[in-house]
Amino acid sequence: MKKILMARGADKVVSTCVKVKPGEKVLIITEASRLSIAEAIAAAVYRVQAEPILQVMVPRDTDGQEPPAPIAAAMKASDAFISVVGRSITHTHAVKDAIAAGSRGVVLTQFTEDMMIHGGIEADFEAAKTECKAVAAALAGSEEIHLTTAMGTDLYYSAAGRRGNALYCMVDKGEFSTIPTVEANVSPLEGTANGVIVADGSIPYIGIGILDEPVRCIVENGMIVSIEGGRQARMLKADLDSKQDPNVYNVAEMGLGLNPNCRFMGFMLEDEGVYGTAHIGIGTSITLGGTVKAACHYDLIMKDATVTADGKTILKDGKVVL
């Protein structure tokens, strides 16, 4: 039955999000655990008289690991690509190079069959586009951005010269987006972030998911220097330490969730899109406008955020006030 119910979501991904045209070559990258979703999308590609190319790879060892070279080459050669994987390949040279070559792509990381039917996928992406682009424009190039929450987040950084990224689940040539999160984000200038991050929503990686208690991180000169809290904080610290890569502590991104249909469920692209949340991405920033490639990219999500950019309030207690 789910195979039938997923058809509507698959059609939306293909026709609304990627805008696939007849005759186009559409690469669908997946792994065995997501094959049913990938096949539903491939069928939707075929329905619009385009050519689906399905490539199944061994799951990556970690989020942010590059896909195999033949898949990276196929991404560059495609008219469009759709990534349906458990471990993220979003923040990789493969995605960056494919977009630079003129392909367009969307990523459905950690998707489940239920996510293809209900939740963020049901949002009106066209309606969300205007607000998302306005928030991204307000973040872009700001000399000083200040993020706070009632739980104790208090972080300053500069985004001078950096682009704002509006990800609203629809792409044109040379663009990529996540689905179903609708978010506006910016990559801080390396070395400028200072303060405290208190994640109280979710860290949807390495089995952490929805947080039982806050995870507190101290940031100095663009890098996380300590991680405090309970069991889930210890999981995050142990995983980052195991990477043996100092760049995993880089403050790479601040994103603001703008999808009214998303809800916390412990999965990355659903949690990040929850309306009024903020997330701090750590590690790799090369796909967002930064310069750092790390062994991973994780997001620390907090609820009911307040954000100001150069003194102008963008988000107040989880509500857009532009």
Side-chain angles (χ1 to χ4, degrees):
M1 186 65 182
K2 282 189 176 179
K3 191 170 186 179
I4 297 170
L5 297 178
M6 283 195 294
R8 186 177 295 168
D11 284 339
K12 188 171 188 177
V13 169
V14 169
S15 297
T16 300
C17 300
V18 186
K19 307 181 187 79
V20 175
K21 304 174 186 65
E24 287 192 311
K25 306 295 188 291
V26 181
L27 179 69
I28 303 159
I29 309 133
T30 194
E31 55 196 51
S33 66
R34 276 24 185 216
L35 194 55
S36 64
I37 300 170
E39 288 176 341
I41 291 171
V45 170
Y46 187 72
R47 279 195 291 274
V48 297
Q49 300 179 49
E51 183 171 357
I53 303 160
L54 189 62
Q55 290 192 323
V56 183
M57 66 178 181
V58 174
R60 304 292 82 194
D61 294 326
T62 61
D63 292 288
Q65 183 182 357
E66 297 288 333
I71 288 182
M75 290 166 69
K76 285 182 69 173
S78 69
D79 294 306
F81 64 89
I82 301 170
S83 171
V84 188
V85 295
R87 291 279 174 83
S88 172
I89 62 167
T90 303
H91 300 283
T92 60
H93 288 291
V95 168
K96 184 177 180 182
D97 293 346
I99 296 306
S103 186
R104 62 193 192 277
V106 295
V107 295
L108 287 73
T109 305
Q110 292 185 353
F111 251 67
T112 65
E113 291 180 342
D114 286 338
M115 287 172 64
M116 286 291 290
I117 301 167
H118 299 299
I121 195 74
E122 297 177 288
D124 185 339
F125 297 140
E126 189 64 47
K129 175 180 176 179
T130 300
E131 182 175 73
C132 186
K133 293 183 75 170
V135 173
L139 295 172
S142 297
E143 294 286 341
E144 183 179 84
I145 294 176
H146 186 200
L147 166 65
T148 60
T149 68
M151 290 296 294
T153 295
D154 190 358
L155 188 73
Y156 288 90
Y157 66 89
S158 175
R162 289 283 160 89
R163 71 176 192 253
N165 302 298
L167 306 181
Y168 44 83
C169 305
M170 298 188 296
V171 291
D172 293 311
K173 184 176 181 179
E175 296 178 348
F176 92 95
S177 184
T178 46
I179 298 175
T181 178
V182 175
E183 69 175 80
N185 67 51
V186 70
S187 183
L189 282 175
E190 290 74 20
T192 65
N194 285 280
V196 182
I197 302 164
V198 182
D200 64 327
S202 171
I203 301 178
Y205 302 83
I206 59 170
I208 297 177
I210 296 172
L211 293 174
D212 300 326
E213 57 187 346
V215 174
R216 189 172 188 268
C217 303
I218 307 299
V219 179
E220 294 179 2
N221 301 322
M223 306 291 281
I224 290 177
V225 296
S226 76
I227 300 172
E228 304 165 358
R231 175 186 62 86
Q232 291 165 312
R234 292 192 295 272
M235 288 175 66
L236 177 63
K237 185 179 187 304
D239 182 85
L240 293 174
D241 288 347
S242 73
K243 299 289 193 291
Q244 297 185 327
D245 175 7
N247 284 339
V248 299
Y249 302 100
N250 172 58
V251 176
E253 169 199 11
M254 184 195 74
L256 306 180
L258 299 169
N259 186 333
N261 289 74
C262 282
R263 72 280 195 209
F264 281 113
M265 57 185 301
F267 295 121
M268 182 192 314
L269 295 180
E270 192 82 28
D271 291 10
E272 291 174 8
V274 173
Y275 199 94
T277 60
H279 58 269
I280 294 294
I282 59 175
T284 296
S285 63
I286 58 169
T287 55
L288 302 169
T291 63
V292 175
K293 180 67 175 81
C296 63
H297 177 102
Y298 294 161
D299 293 292
L300 318 179
I301 306 173
M302 55 217 77
K303 303 172 184 176
D304 301 326
T306 294
V307 175
T308 62
D310 290 340
K312 181 178 182 180
T313 302
I314 297 172
L315 197 69
K316 177 68 173 174
D317 298 328
K319 295 181 174 57
V320 175
V321 293
L322 279 175

